[in-house]
Amino acid sequence: MGYTNYWTLDKDIPEDKWREAQREVTYLVEYVGESILDVQENSSDRIIFNGRGNDAHETFGIEKKLKSVSGFNFCKTNRKPYDLAVWHMLTFLRSILGSEFKINRDR
């Protein structure tokens, strides 16, 4: 088991919103530091990161283009320090995409 963040999006993310999300990942690295956050990809297609070292758990990943029919995704972080970065990205995406981007987490 473990602490989990959930999100659902049933359509592709527009290019301008995607660029905003990419900039936010850069901000997160500057703010929380590479000692906590291991960004594996921040590209035109996907954003992928995890915690660093023993503070890693499941990898967070989101893609610009919808890959599944339901659009439902999740990332188990087990409340490790990078969980704040995962939740930050989800709330940021919710703020720029609106109510069509649904988020939730275990609490």
Side-chain angles (χ1 to χ4, degrees):
M1 301 302 281
Y3 186 84
T4 307
N5 296 281
Y6 310 89
W7 66 98
T8 304
L9 182 64
D10 295 323
K11 66 181 193 174
D12 295 346
I13 298 174
E15 183 65 34
D16 61 327
K17 304 295 184 188
W18 186 256
R19 283 191 306 271
E20 287 183 53
Q22 287 183 284
R23 286 190 296 270
E24 198 66 14
V25 171
T26 301
Y27 164 78
L28 274 173
V29 171
E30 291 171 3
Y31 188 76
V32 302
E34 291 181 357
S35 63
I36 292 174
L37 199 59
D38 178 19
V39 177
Q40 297 153 6
E41 188 169 351
N42 185 8
S43 71
S44 60
D45 298 321
R46 64 186 64 84
I47 293 168
I48 300 172
F49 63 80
N50 202 328
R52 174 116 13 223
N54 290 334
D55 286 328
H57 204 66
E58 279 189 3
T59 300
F60 170 80
I62 189 160
E63 298 198 15
K64 181 177 156 186
K65 302 260 185 212
L66 184 65
K67 296 288 183 186
S68 67
V69 175
S70 71
F72 174 79
N73 295 278
F74 63 92
C75 176
K76 294 181 185 225
T77 62
N78 203 31
R79 295 186 193 259
K80 293 189 175 180
Y82 82 106
D83 176 70
L84 290 174
V86 171
W87 188 246
H88 175 88
M89 280 307 300
L90 293 176
T91 58
F92 178 80
L93 287 163
R94 171 90 155 88
S95 76
I96 64 173
L97 296 173
S99 60
E100 63 198 30
F101 189 76
K102 296 170 181 54
I103 59 175
N104 201 353
R105 62 184 170 170
D106 295 342
R107 282 188 66 140

